[in-house]
Amino acid sequence: MAKMSLTATVTLGHLENKLTLAKRCSREATFARAKATAIAMVASAVPTLASVRMLPWAKANLNPTGQALIICTVAGMAYFIAADKTILSLARRHSYESAPDHLKDTSFHVAAAAARPRPPAFLRP
């Protein structure tokens, strides 16, 4: 049986740190979802309810169920979009923080740009 190296073991402190980080990210994502949902509900409710009062077509064709469906659909989309964006941005930020230094160097190197071939003439502006 092969011996495990010291770098392969995981300490309890490391796991607790990861758990704390996950809880904080979850809390931030939940707050972002609630905020996006509230803003989207107001932003979709005002024009929907105003159009039902002012436009003859909307008054004739949008009953209260249709109005609620429009508002709830927009709020639901905002909820899931905000959750996805928040979780992805937090994961990207935390993976960058724990990355090695040689991967954090995202500066543009001129030598790499010079080695890149030019696109064909018909693709250039």
Side-chain angles (χ1 to χ4, degrees), residues 48-74:
T48 302
L49 297 175
S51 66
V52 168
R53 292 190 177 265
M54 295 180 204
L55 300 173
W57 178 89
K59 189 181 287 188
N61 293 312
L62 289 179
N63 60 13
T65 305
Q67 297 168 30
L69 185 63
I70 291 170
I71 295 167
C72 289
T73 302
V74 171

Side-chain angles (χ1 to χ4, degrees), residues 34-107:
K35 183 176 157 185
T37 302
I39 291 170
M41 284 183 76
V42 170
S44 64
V46 170
T48 302
L49 297 175
S51 66
V52 168
R53 292 190 177 265
M54 295 180 204
L55 300 173
W57 178 89
K59 189 181 287 188
N61 293 312
L62 289 179
N63 60 13
T65 305
Q67 297 168 30
L69 185 63
I70 291 170
I71 295 167
C72 289
T73 302
V74 171
M77 289 186 335
Y79 177 85
F80 287 108
I81 290 170
D84 193 39
K85 287 180 69 173
T86 305
I87 290 169
L88 286 175
S89 69
L90 290 171
R92 191 176 302 118
R93 181 176 40 181
H94 295 308
S95 68
Y96 179 77
E97 288 172 357
S98 63
D101 289 334
H102 71 279
L103 293 177
K104 288 183 181 180
D105 183 19
T106 58
S107 60

